Amino acid sequence: MYGIGLLKGLAVTMRNMVSPGRQFTLHQYPDRRVGLLGLAKQANTNLVSYVLREPAMAAKSLIGLATVKDRMPQHPRFRGEEFVWYEERCTGCASCAKYCPLGIIEIVTHPSGDAMQEGEKYAIDVFDIDIGRCMFCGLCVEACPYDAIHMGSGFEESTYVREELVIDVDRLRSAPKRPSTWFRPQLEGKGYQPLDGQEVSWKDVGRHQMPDDSELEDRWAKR
Amino acid sequence: MDLPEWLAFGMAGFTLAFIVINAMIMSTALYTWFERRALGRFQVRLGPNRWGPFGLLQPLADIIKLITKEDTIPDEADRPAFTVAPVVLLLPMLLVVAVVPFGEDSFLGRLNVGILFIVGVTSISTIAIFVGGWASGNKYAMLGAMRGVAMLISYEVPMALAIAGVLLLVGPALPADAEGFAGISSLALSKIVESQVLPFLLVSPLAFLVFVAAASAEMSRTPFDQIEAESELGSGYHTEYSGIKFAVFQLAEFMAPIVTSIIIVTLFLGGTRGFSPVPEQIWFILKVFVVIFLLLWVRATWPRLRIDQIMAFAWKGLFGLAILNLFVVATEIEFLRTSDGTLSTGSLWLMAAINWPVTLVSVVVLARLLGHGRMDRPEPSPSPLANMYAEAE
Amino acid sequence: MAITTEPVTINLGPQHPSTHGVFRLRVTFDGEEVVDVEPVFGYLHRGTEKLAESRSYVQIVTLTDRLDYTASMSNNLAYVRAVEKLAGIEVPERAMYLRVITAELQRIASHLMATGFLLNDLGAFATPLMYCFRERERILDMFEMLCGARITLSYMRPGGVFQDAPAEFWPALDTFLVETPGYLDDLENLITGNEIVLARTRGVGILGDELAIATSVTGPMLRASGVQWDLRKADPYEVYDRLEFDIPIGVAGDTFDRYLVRILEMRESLKIIEQCVDQIPRGPIKPDLPFNLRPPEGDAYAAVEGPKGELGFYLVSDRGIAPYRCKIRAPSFINLTPLKEMVVGWKVGDLIVIFGSVDVVLGEVDR
Ligand code: SF4
Ligand code: SF4
């Protein structure tokens, strides 16, 4: 009343301007403007030694031109593009294709003649995922009984042509193996972070511990 | 060789105008950057920071973008009027700067009736807004233009009355001097600045309040931004504009806060007056900056009023306050003035001491009258028609 | 001679800054005054109900995310509850608590958005909106921890939730619970006492309790009209019967009440989450179910108190892997019913504000 509410509002905005209690809503990406302090922090030195070591960069930062690379903070469970697919694990059962709500996975296989003892493995001819229509729901990942397909963690797949958004089997083979931990709780808790860049081999992504050689021999002997 | 007088005058005038107009445009560009950065900080985001140091080149990028954009004119539009409206809106902003003293001798036109000139010239913008909205042939633009005319004309009244209150304080014109020049009348801005031994903000806060409110309505900023009201009307009277015409509209719109701040500083904050080691021009710019920031702060915080509330506020609220202010100041002067009609510094202080309580009381009374006691909220009582607790029993 | 003026008809939307999406209102103005409104729907129609008939029960969860995209969790919850009722699935305790926590977080997020946009419609140059978004961002961050997505969550599955919360979720939730009340105070300082907001919203767009009930309005809009009706209390589902919370109601059913009820509800939601965090047991989060459910023949309707109102799913099964019919009771759509009664006689600016205070999401209106 009497404009006191208005003044209170002004106080709130001013407080948020001079010292935002919480962080900014926005995150600068892919590079971030930094001041001198930020630069020194990134180089892991104190201010003075940084200025002495890299005067050019320091001067740049003073007129607000210095940038450093940065990325979005992201949880390991983030469901991203670039599916991570392990050919070694995939049997071509096409469960993933069946469970995709949009039906955008296409799989063509033929009997490979490999591994006849275990019941013959199928060779994958076609494994197309049309990520232009994918909604990254992760149901395919949930459906795969062999832990062969995982969500990726990237989100920078933009192209100029729609066709390029179809990920084919070659791209799946060569894509970096940095699976998201979505629906793969076994990957969690090991301190694994897809953004760190370390890759995970097919042996480690399974739900079950891989038996070691002696155990395997043992098992085979019993058969 | 002597130049003919008209030519010399013309050349000098042209050069000065060139400098001032460009300076205004550059400072407007700078201001857009400042406004966007500051608003960004208010809204806990960053604002433009990519292009150039601290994003300073952003206005340049904006201008290039706007100029290279296609300049569309709707079929329904009245072409000549549609084209001329942006320029007409820009004109008064630039004209006002011509008469404002930036320092004791930094003048463009030392006009004897400066303040009258300002009041007259700024009312041109009403016409520009109406022409722009009407000529677009768009219903949203038309609504914006209608609101614009109603609002701008209404707010000119309290604004002029507030100025009249200030002019009373300035005192009588100086008598004509020996060379026969008419003395500087109290309408001249330099005289107004000169007589502010005590800033008029202190002496008559009521006039300041009324003037600032009216001025922010005149430049259509929150809480009075009915003309554009982007959440209601798209963007009001310039809905149909694009390309360079839109750029000119935006220029005028962003120039308005600067010009308004300049006038406020001149009328109420002692203009170029300051303390001696720092030059007057710096003082002036500093004060203008502070006022601009305050206006921005308000803009970042408050929502807008509805059109009928705005009109009611002008006629029932500000108009009354302005009249009251005029009356109080006139009475005080009648009793306090010295024999030659001027006021001593002591009596200015006395007036300040009287006017502040008057201001507070009148604002409270006004809030009472306009608020209709609507502000308190009774305790809610559940409706008898449906009550889930009753059913559960 | 008297000057006669004609009413003007204006299309507000589908491209308009404050129709909250692609909504179209054909409004007839007499000067500034609204004489008539005629809403035009369907610009965002995607045929969700029809699509559901050719998806398996789990796959439909992904469709529900896209109904009310500001409150995917609540949509998930309403849908999976309908499936569980249909198929008679028991839900583990822990999963129920997780669902309640996420649904209440989602309610806060949705109300924050509603408040922010209402203030934006009031013309407050995006500042309150950005403050609201800042807080909502933290909720979305927590959702990202839970299920790897921020908007289209697909977190729940018939029978439970798809995955337990990671270790870092609980500390994040705790800090959120500690800090948010202070933040809400901040927001209220900025808005609730603001004379301009009061002048713009008090007594504007009144929806009486009688009309509200007659037009089957639900959610905060109904409660703002003074009707004490909340499914969480009236028909407790999940674990709501074990939690203590109040149902805030409004005084007059005007725009300000609708705003205030949302703010109060956010505070109640915080209380609920706190209790859940205290009570949540350890245990499984999902029973072992086949991926393709085949519920017995029959039908089931389950509703939850979503952020916008009663959100219900009606499913009919013919023993197939997909429902025979899926009907969605979308609160946003039904809450628009009394729009005309609320806005006629008010000005253009009020129309926008009243519409904003109804808080609709067009994904849900058009489905
Ligand atoms: S993420 Fe979802 S939409 Fe995308 S391929 Fe997998 S199942 Fe299909
Ligand atoms: S990725 Fe998994 S589900 Fe898909 S074909 Fe391979 S093994 Fe089957």
Side-chain angles (χ1 to χ4, degrees):
Chain A
M1 187 108 194
Y2 312 131
I4 291 166
L6 294 174
L7 297 180
K8 254 197 210 161
L10 286 176
V12 170
T13 44
M14 182 45 92
R15 198 168 56 240
N16 274 290
M17 171 168 172
V18 288
S19 64
R22 281 162 280 270
Q23 309 159 315
F24 283 106
T25 318
L26 306 182
H27 197 88
Q28 296 186 65
Y29 161 87
D31 48 14
R32 174 163 62 93
R33 300 258 149 170
V34 281
L36 208 45
L37 263 173
L39 275 177
K41 210 177 196 176
Q42 231 208 3
N44 263 332
T45 51
N46 60 18
L47 212 81
V48 181
S49 58
Y50 184 83
V51 174
L52 291 178
R53 211 170 53 196
E54 286 191 51
M57 199 62 182
K60 249 178 129 183
S61 78
L62 281 183
I63 56 166
L65 284 177
T67 53
V68 293
K69 285 260 164 288
D70 203 351
R71 59 185 326 146
M72 302 293 291
Q74 201 173 304
H75 194 266
R77 274 192 194 174
F78 184 81
R79 310 199 297 246
E81 293 170 359
E82 294 171 349
F83 288 85
V84 176
W85 177 67
Y86 292 95
E87 194 177 15
E88 295 89 342
R89 302 190 74 94
C90 180
T91 61
C93 69
S95 298
C96 49
K98 234 182 294 174
Y99 287 121
C100 174
L102 305 175
I104 57 174
I105 304 180
E106 184 186 356
I107 295 176
V108 178
T109 56
H110 69 264
S112 66
D114 267 0
M116 295 302 277
Q117 263 176 325
E118 287 114 319
E120 195 175 15
K121 198 167 184 242
Y122 279 78
I124 312 281
D125 300 330
V126 178
F127 198 124
D128 283 353
I129 306 179
D130 183 359
I131 61 166
R133 292 175 56 206
C134 177
M135 56 186 176
F136 307 104
C137 60
L139 284 189
C140 48
V141 178
E142 205 173 324
C144 177
Y146 304 102
D147 292 352
I149 192 163
H150 299 247
M151 304 301 294
S153 353
F155 50 87
E156 296 148 318
E157 283 293 279
S158 50
T159 60
Y160 287 102
V161 195
R162 236 191 137 83
E163 281 76 53
E164 282 172 25
L165 285 173
V166 179
I167 299 187
D168 58 14
V169 68
D170 293 326
R171 241 173 102 186
L172 278 174
R173 274 189 190 120
S174 58
K177 303 287 182 242
R178 291 200 289 267
S180 142
T181 61
W182 153 263
F183 209 70
R184 296 286 180 252
Q186 70 270 18
L187 288 175
E188 272 174 19
K190 294 180 194 164
Y192 163 69
Q193 165 62 266
L195 292 181
D196 289 347
Q198 106 224 28
E199 302 204 351
V200 185
S201 87
W202 67 274
K203 289 179 190 150
D204 298 330
V205 293
R207 244 168 274 193
H208 308 288
Q209 195 68 40
M210 175 100 167
D212 57 15
D213 284 348
S214 61
E215 206 179 322
L216 267 183
E217 253 168 47
D218 208 33
R219 243 189 243 179
W220 279 110
K222 279 192 193 134
R223 258 171 70 149
Chain B
M1 187 197 79
D2 277 347
L3 288 168
E5 199 174 326
W6 61 269
L7 188 57
F9 187 77
M11 274 169 62
F14 184 80
T15 321
L16 281 176
F18 186 82
I19 292 171
V20 166
I21 290 177
N22 278 293
M24 275 313 284
I25 289 176
M26 288 322 283
S27 53
T28 308
L30 205 63
Y31 170 70
T32 57
W33 171 83
F34 170 73
E35 163 151 341
R36 291 172 64 184
R37 286 292 291 212
L39 270 179
R41 288 307 301 252
F42 272 122
Q43 299 171 356
V44 288
R45 46 186 186 88
L46 291 166
N49 71 340
R50 289 280 134 178
W51 177 214
F54 308 107
L56 262 173
L57 293 183
Q58 187 66 37
L60 188 70
D62 288 343
I63 290 172
I64 291 175
K65 184 199 103 178
L66 282 174
I67 288 179
T68 50
K69 255 184 159 178
E70 189 191 352
D71 184 14
T72 51
I73 299 180
D75 272 354
E76 301 257 307
D78 181 341
R79 292 180 82 98
F82 188 79
T83 316
V84 88
V87 185
V88 177
L89 188 65
L90 186 60
L91 209 63
M93 306 295 164
L94 294 171
L95 283 177
V96 165
V97 184
V99 297
V100 176
F102 291 101
E104 199 159 357
D105 298 313
S106 318
F107 264 102
L108 213 51
R110 196 188 268 268
L111 208 58
N112 215 353
V113 286
I115 193 68
L116 214 56
F117 177 78
I118 288 177
V119 173
V121 151
T122 45
S123 51
I124 297 178
S125 58
T126 317
I127 301 170
I129 283 172
F130 187 72
V131 168
W134 173 263
S136 302
N138 177 312
K139 287 170 186 168
Y140 285 120
M142 193 59 219
L143 263 176
M146 264 157 48
R147 287 175 170 192
V149 172
M151 197 174 98
L152 296 187
I153 289 180
S154 314
Y155 274 88
E156 247 152 48
V157 177
M159 189 159 149
L161 285 174
I163 292 176
V166 170
L167 294 183
L168 280 183
L169 290 168
V170 175
L174 298 178
D177 61 10
E179 282 155 44
F181 278 118
I184 301 172
S185 84
S186 52
L187 292 176
L189 288 170
S190 57
K191 179 80 188 334
I192 296 177
V193 171
E194 219 169 87
S195 56
Q196 290 190 48
V197 189
L198 205 57
F200 286 161
L201 164 63
L202 288 180
V203 180
S204 93
L206 202 52
F208 176 76
L209 277 186
V210 172
F211 186 84
V212 170
S216 58
E218 287 283 315
M219 61 182 172
S220 173
R221 307 261 290 189
T222 38
F224 308 102
D225 61 341
Q226 277 299 331
I227 304 181
E228 280 176 49
E230 74 275 11
S231 67
E232 292 161 27
L233 300 181
S235 53
Y237 64 96
H238 58 57
T239 306
E240 290 291 350
Y241 281 86
S242 67
I244 191 158
K245 296 199 191 83
F246 178 72
V248 174
F249 262 140
Q250 284 301 81
L251 185 67
E253 213 158 83
F254 277 105
M255 209 179 272
I258 304 183
V259 172
T260 313
S261 311
I262 288 177
I263 300 174
I264 291 177
V265 167
T266 313
L267 287 184
F268 291 98
L269 297 178
T272 55
R273 281 170 166 272
F275 304 107
S276 74
V278 187
E280 287 175 331
Q281 284 83 351
I282 303 285
W283 273 112
F284 187 74
I285 289 171
L286 216 65
K287 286 177 187 170
V288 168
F289 183 81
V290 169
V291 175
I292 282 182
F293 182 78
L294 290 179
L295 291 175
L296 194 61
W297 186 10
V298 167
R299 183 181 190 201
T301 310
W302 293 347
R304 81 169 77 85
L305 286 161
R306 206 195 313 148
I307 179 72
D308 57 324
Q309 289 165 343
I310 289 180
M311 303 300 281
F313 187 63
W315 289 108
K316 294 184 197 160
L318 290 186
F319 187 66
L321 286 184
I323 296 267
L324 179 74
N325 174 60
L326 205 57
F327 177 73
V328 170
V329 170
T331 321
E332 284 164 355
I333 288 176
E334 177 61 33
F335 287 114
L336 291 175
R337 68 174 165 194
T338 51
S339 56
D340 59 346
T342 53
L343 292 160
S344 67
T345 315
S347 41
L348 278 180
W349 277 111
L350 186 61
M351 284 176 70
I354 301 173
N355 282 351
W356 274 94
V358 168
T359 306
L360 289 181
V361 168
S362 58
V363 167
V364 167
V365 168
L366 186 78
R368 275 269 149 127
L369 288 179
L370 287 188
H372 302 303
R374 284 207 304 186
M375 297 308 173
D376 32 56
R377 187 171 181 268
E379 268 301 300
S381 62
S383 149
L385 294 177
N387 192 335
M388 58 193 180
Y389 296 117
E391 261 179 4
E393 276 162 19
Chain C
M1 193 189 83
I3 302 173
T4 52
T5 52
E6 277 174 40
V8 200
T9 305
I10 294 185
N11 275 315
L12 236 90
Q15 291 97 16
H16 187 275
S18 46
T19 49
H20 296 212
V22 279
F23 187 56
R24 181 169 154 211
L25 277 170
R26 205 180 287 134
V27 195
T28 310
F29 291 119
D30 180 9
E32 285 258 349
E33 212 169 286
V34 179
V35 186
D36 191 18
V37 272
E38 186 192 335
V40 184
F41 303 102
Y43 289 93
L44 204 59
H45 179 67
R46 293 151 301 175
T48 309
E49 291 175 4
K50 192 71 194 166
L51 283 175
E53 288 169 22
S54 54
R55 299 280 185 286
S56 78
Y57 284 94
V58 173
Q59 287 173 346
I60 297 173
V61 173
T62 62
L63 295 179
T64 62
D65 284 341
R66 284 146 180 88
L67 290 173
D68 175 356
Y69 37 75
T70 63
S72 310
M73 278 298 182
S74 317
N75 296 2
N76 284 180
L77 181 59
Y79 169 72
V80 297
R81 275 187 44 73
V83 177
E84 282 152 15
K85 213 165 169 183
L86 192 64
I89 301 169
E90 279 285 310
V91 187
E93 286 264 296
R94 187 175 175 82
M96 288 211 267
Y97 276 101
L98 273 171
R99 285 182 187 184
V100 170
I101 291 176
T102 48
E104 292 302 322
L105 280 177
Q106 186 74 77
R107 185 187 316 278
I108 299 176
S110 174
H111 281 352
L112 278 174
M113 245 177 117
T115 311
F117 277 112
L118 174 64
L119 262 287
N120 219 28
D121 290 348
L122 276 168
F125 213 78
T127 310
L129 179 68
M130 293 309 278
Y131 291 173
C132 289
F133 265 34
R134 180 179 57 185
E135 292 316 294
R136 177 172 173 265
E137 199 68 14
R138 308 179 65 196
I139 297 176
L140 296 192
D141 281 344
M142 279 190 274
F143 284 166
E144 190 184 315
M145 289 178 198
L146 281 174
C147 54
R150 302 168 74 82
I151 307 284
T152 51
L153 305 158
S154 304
Y155 179 57
M156 297 176 194
R157 297 282 182 273
V161 298
F162 97 96
Q163 198 174 331
D164 208 342
E168 58 268 34
F169 173 76
W170 301 107
L173 186 60
D174 279 342
T175 38
F176 177 78
L177 287 177
V178 171
E179 284 174 13
T180 308
Y183 159 72
L184 285 177
D185 292 342
D186 231 27
L187 197 64
E188 281 212 75
N189 272 342
L190 179 59
I191 306 168
T192 309
N194 191 317
E195 279 80 359
I196 298 177
V197 174
L198 289 173
R200 283 297 301 277
T201 54
R202 290 296 293 275
V204 170
I206 291 178
L207 175 69
D209 46 0
E210 215 164 300
L211 182 63
I213 291 171
T215 48
S216 39
V217 162
T218 45
M221 231 177 126
L222 178 68
R223 291 192 282 277
S225 303
V227 184
Q228 225 162 19
W229 184 261
D230 189 314
L231 280 182
R232 288 174 295 172
K233 276 256 198 267
D235 177 19
Y237 51 94
E238 304 290 302
V239 292
Y240 280 111
D241 45 355
R242 301 176 212 171
L243 307 169
E244 269 174 38
F245 57 98
D246 296 328
I247 306 298
I249 53 170
V251 180
D254 55 10
T255 309
F256 182 74
D257 278 339
R258 286 193 277 277
Y259 150 77
L260 203 64
V261 163
R262 289 205 176 92
I263 294 274
L264 295 175
E265 258 178 38
M266 282 195 253
R267 294 187 192 274
E268 293 301 321
S269 289
L270 287 174
K271 258 199 247 166
I272 294 176
I273 297 171
E274 239 162 66
Q275 293 173 40
C276 284
V277 173
D278 288 342
Q279 292 178 11
I280 187 164
R282 297 194 167 277
I285 42 108
K286 198 175 149 191
D288 231 357
L289 288 175
F291 207 88
N292 280 342
L293 295 169
R294 281 176 190 277
E297 247 167 78
D299 57 348
Y301 173 78
V304 301
E305 185 69 36
K308 314 228 154 51
E310 176 181 343
L311 174 67
F313 277 80
Y314 177 66
L315 295 174
V316 182
S317 161
D318 58 352
R319 289 193 63 74
I321 61 167
Y324 176 74
R325 173 84 172 95
C326 167
K327 163 89 182 91
I328 304 162
R329 188 211 188 268
S332 297
F333 177 61
I334 293 167
N335 284 358
L336 280 177
T337 319
L339 184 68
K340 185 174 171 183
E341 280 80 359
M342 279 154 72
V343 298
V344 166
W346 293 100
K347 304 263 188 303
V348 191
D350 294 326
L351 164 70
I352 303 289
V353 173
I354 295 168
F355 180 69
S357 75
V358 177
D359 183 26
V360 296
V361 164
L362 267 292
E364 201 177 48
V365 173
D366 294 339
R367 277 159 291 157

